[in-house]
Amino acid sequence: GAVVSQHPSWVICKSGTSVKIECRSLDFQATTMFWYRQFPKQSLMLMATSNEGSKATYEQGVEKDKFLINHASLTLSTLTVTSAHPEDSSFYICSATQGGFNSPLHFGNGTRLTVT
Amino acid sequence: GESVGLHLPTLSVQEGDNSIINCAYSNSASDYFIWYKQESGKGPQFIIDIRSNMDKRQGQRVTVLLNKTVKHLSLQIAATQPGDSAVYFCAEKETGNQFYFGTGTSLTVIP
């Protein structure tokens, strides 16, 4: 149980275009989803926290107009990288939790974004 | 944010030996801890968790130890196998849903 599906697993796009990444909780309802960015050989950097039906909370330094997050249902959150640039190339990972005391995070398998 | 750090960035062990990965945390209010395994190109995978009212928890070949006095968490892997080679992260949670992750330890198992 507790499967999180992230799609696509990799994407290559041209500079200036937008890319949408989907994160779905397949067998549970995710009250909260998190989006992370990970650079090579580094830890996970939290970008934003999204709760179903409300605006995402962005971490300091993360541009909300560039990284659009939508959490339209209890099983789906999307991250759109708008007007992507090569410096946005990275590994993006989503996670979801059912919420509540001692409820672990379950992660998707990540999306490798390459902007040319 | 809170600092959650790992003592060793890399660890190499011989196949069949036991591995111990350590993690220090700084927030005494943290009440829930998780160890994750991340293989190259994949998302982190849940290994084992422990609540703050416990000091030890065992799973299949893994044991997590929690020492709240010194704010230290460890993951022990018994009879380490090549498939255990990965980066291991500890994560802590206070109240609410936000987790804080350590910097990670890269475990290499030598055949």
Side-chain angles (χ1 to χ4, degrees):
Chain A
V3 177
V4 175
S5 174
Q6 187 172 341
H7 180 82
S9 56
W10 61 270
V11 58
I12 302 172
C13 71
K14 292 188 176 180
S15 189
T17 62
S18 296
V19 173
K20 179 185 284 189
I21 302 169
E22 291 188 349
C23 180
R24 295 181 185 271
S25 56
L26 297 186
D27 51 2
F28 67 99
Q29 291 189 325
T31 56
T32 307
M33 287 186 171
F34 302 89
W35 287 95
Y36 296 85
R37 185 172 179 175
Q38 188 176 36
F39 294 101
K41 299 190 185 302
Q42 294 191 22
S43 188
L44 304 164
M45 184 187 80
L46 180 65
M47 298 175 67
T49 302
S50 84
N51 293 294
E52 185 264 339
S54 61
K55 289 184 179 180
T57 302
Y58 290 82
E59 294 299 299
Q60 191 173 8
V62 178
E63 298 176 58
K64 62 180 181 180
D65 294 330
K66 179 164 190 64
F67 298 100
L68 300 179
I69 291 171
N70 183 277
H71 193 159
S73 75
L74 284 171
T75 59
L76 173 65
S77 177
T78 61
L79 167 68
T80 301
V81 183
T82 63
S83 187
H85 291 286
E87 57 265 31
D88 299 324
S89 298
S90 191
F91 193 53
Y92 294 88
I93 311 174
C94 73
S95 69
T97 178
Q98 291 173 279
F101 188 67
N102 295 342
S103 182
L105 288 180
H106 302 285
F107 286 86
N109 260 334
T111 297
R112 171 72 57 193
L113 170 63
T114 303
V115 185
T116 61
Chain B
E2 302 298 325
S3 68
V4 180
L6 296 180
H7 292 310
L8 296 172
T10 61
L11 177 65
S12 295
V13 297
Q14 206 71 37
E15 182 178 357
D17 287 352
N18 297 333
S19 303
I20 299 176
I21 301 172
N22 297 303
C23 179
Y25 64 96
S26 58
N27 190 346
S28 55
S30 294
D31 58 9
Y32 181 50
F33 304 85
I34 305 177
W35 279 100
Y36 288 94
K37 172 186 180 184
Q38 185 179 26
E39 296 175 273
S40 181
K42 296 185 178 180
Q45 177 186 7
F46 174 93
I47 301 174
I48 192 168
D49 59 359
I50 189 167
R51 302 174 186 175
S52 59
N53 62 352
M54 305 169 68
D55 53 22
K56 180 178 180 179
R57 190 156 189 239
Q58 289 184 293
Q60 188 176 14
R61 283 201 306 118
V62 294
T63 301
V64 55
L65 299 177
L66 175 63
N67 185 329
K68 294 181 287 296
T69 303
V70 295
K71 296 197 279 285
H72 184 268
L73 189 71
S74 70
L75 176 70
Q76 301 179 1
I77 305 173
T80 314
Q81 302 168 1
D84 295 326
S85 294
V87 176
Y88 291 81
F89 293 98
C90 65
E92 63 168 326
K93 186 172 80 72
E94 306 168 35
T95 56
N97 280 333
Q98 187 155 330
F99 285 79
Y100 299 93
F101 286 84
T103 53
T105 292
S106 177
L107 174 65
T108 301
V109 181
I110 304 166

